Amino acid sequence: MHSINAVNLVGSGNVAWVLGAALKESGILINAVIARNKDKAEALARLLDSQALTFEDKLPEADLILLTVSDDSIQQVSERLAKQTSIESLIAHTSGSKPTTLLSPFNRQASFYPLQTMTKGNTVDFNKVHFCVYTKEESHLNALKALAGRISKHVHVLDDQQRAFLHLSAVMVNNFSNLFFTEAYKLSSIHNIDFELLRPLILKTAQKAIENNPSSVQTGPAARQDTDTIQQHLNLLQEDPKLKELYQLISERIIKNADTE
């Protein structure tokens, strides 16, 4: 395989809408949009100047079958698609955490993982998105790298295990950090404090983590082993035992990290 110019897009959710539009803008032909719900497939197909199909329809020829379905559906969907096209087709999923082996019974299994949160209707600057691609055959790997390179300046080759650890790290920096933003917002609201006071700190913290090794810029009571302040904070969290426990566990981890550096 020398290049990927035509794609069968499987799925009609957030990733399908955002990534599908980016592929179309880059000049990739979307031969078909395949989804369980024909109405949703038709809505996306109209945007992508494509045709809408269901899993019962025979797939048209394409250089790549791209799955944007939920992680739990990858294996089941790939098994259904194998009945509608050649198992020698190159097939890739966009999951960060799942192995390419879930794409069995296809023989050419791959990953095409954009490290970014995507929501239908929200614009994504794909030039700044890091794409992680992987497949065993070098010619197909080069084709996937070239495809990702049409919409992003940042393309990396990561195998299944590397990508799984990257996804774990992404959950920590994105989902876990946002949980604490949420808890801080709740505390601020309960005690009549404008959350706006914390926004510059959030931005500065993220900036420092981007520009440095995060461990080198760790601050706060746990980093300086200020046990009095830690205990004061724990006392303030008496009415929320779960959050109190979480605060204590994370403080202990920060102290441990500081001791080992």
Side-chain angles (χ1 to χ4, degrees), residues 217-230:
V217 291
Q218 181 72 61
T219 61
R224 59 178 182 269
Q225 300 193 26
D226 181 353
T227 56
D228 288 344
T229 299
I230 292 173

Side-chain angles (χ1 to χ4, degrees), residues 6-7 20 23 41 48 63 79 101 114 118 120 134 138 152 156 177 190 198 200 223 232 246:
V7 170
L23 289 169
L48 302 179
D63 301 315
E79 288 172 355
T101 51
M118 299 184 200
K120 177 182 174 182
Y134 175 69
E138 186 175 357
S152 174
H156 314 269
S177 61
I190 291 171
L198 292 168
Q232 179 190 7
L246 195 56

Side-chain angles (χ1 to χ4, degrees), residues 34-66:
I34 303 101
R36 291 188 181 91
N37 187 306
K38 187 69 175 286
D39 291 337
K40 290 183 178 180
E42 288 176 345
L44 179 54
R46 284 193 293 271
L47 174 72
L48 302 179
D49 296 327
S50 183
Q51 63 176 316
L53 301 175
T54 67
F55 294 129
E56 283 70 41
D57 297 316
K58 184 175 177 59
L59 270 62
E61 289 189 9
D63 301 315
L64 173 68
I65 302 170
L66 185 61

Side-chain angles (χ1 to χ4, degrees), residues 10-237:
V10 183
S12 58
N14 289 323
V15 176
W17 277 82
V18 178
L19 185 55
L23 289 169
K24 179 178 179 292
E25 284 182 24
S26 73
I28 297 298
L29 176 66
I30 308 298
N31 275 359
V33 175
I34 303 101
R36 291 188 181 91
N37 187 306
K38 187 69 175 286
D39 291 337
K40 290 183 178 180
E42 288 176 345
L44 179 54
R46 284 193 293 271
L47 174 72
L48 302 179
D49 296 327
S50 183
Q51 63 176 316
L53 301 175
T54 67
F55 294 129
E56 283 70 41
D57 297 316
K58 184 175 177 59
L59 270 62
E61 289 189 9
D63 301 315
L64 173 68
I65 302 170
L66 185 61
L67 270 63
T68 64
V69 299
S70 66
D71 287 1
D72 292 341
S73 301
I74 291 172
Q75 187 166 16
Q76 179 186 17
V77 168
S78 62
E79 288 172 355
R80 295 183 69 176
L81 292 174
K83 299 176 182 178
Q84 307 300 332
T85 191
S86 169
I87 61 171
E88 297 303 322
S89 302
L90 177 62
I91 185 170
H93 65 54
T94 55
S95 170
S97 62
K98 298 301 182 182
T100 53
T101 51
L102 289 183
L103 295 168
S104 176
F106 285 88
N107 293 328
R108 295 182 169 93
Q109 307 156 4
S111 66
F112 192 78
Y113 172 50
L115 182 55
Q116 184 57 272
T117 179
M118 299 184 200
T119 304
K120 177 182 174 182
N122 285 7
T123 302
V124 172
D125 183 359
F126 277 97
N127 274 328
K128 298 179 180 178
V129 173
H130 290 261
F131 270 82
C132 304
V133 300
Y134 175 69
T135 193
K136 291 182 178 179
E137 293 184 33
E138 186 175 357
S139 63
H140 291 97
L141 181 60
N142 289 334
L144 287 169
K145 288 163 64 177
L147 176 63
R150 293 177 69 158
I151 56 179
S152 174
K153 297 178 180 178
H154 309 283
V155 181
H156 314 269
V157 178
L158 271 69
D159 64 26
D160 284 350
Q161 185 178 37
Q162 289 173 310
R163 194 177 64 260
F165 275 107
L166 175 64
H167 187 263
L168 170 59
S169 301
V171 167
M172 291 180 179
V173 301
N174 182 21
N175 309 125
F176 286 6
S177 61
N178 195 69
L179 169 66
F180 281 100
F181 299 155
T182 301
E183 295 297 341
Y185 188 93
K186 290 179 185 177
L187 286 171
S188 299
S189 299
I190 291 171
H191 297 284
N192 298 315
I193 301 167
D194 190 347
F195 188 72
E196 187 66 30
L197 274 67
L198 292 168
R199 295 190 193 277
L201 178 60
I202 292 171
L203 291 174
K204 186 63 175 179
T205 301
Q207 182 182 1
K208 287 166 64 178
I210 290 170
E211 295 174 351
N212 303 273
N213 177 338
S215 66
S216 69
V217 291
Q218 181 72 61
T219 61
R224 59 178 182 269
Q225 300 193 26
D226 181 353
T227 56
D228 288 344
T229 299
I230 292 173
Q231 187 57 54
Q232 179 190 7
H233 290 169
L234 292 172
N235 292 340
L236 291 173
L237 292 171

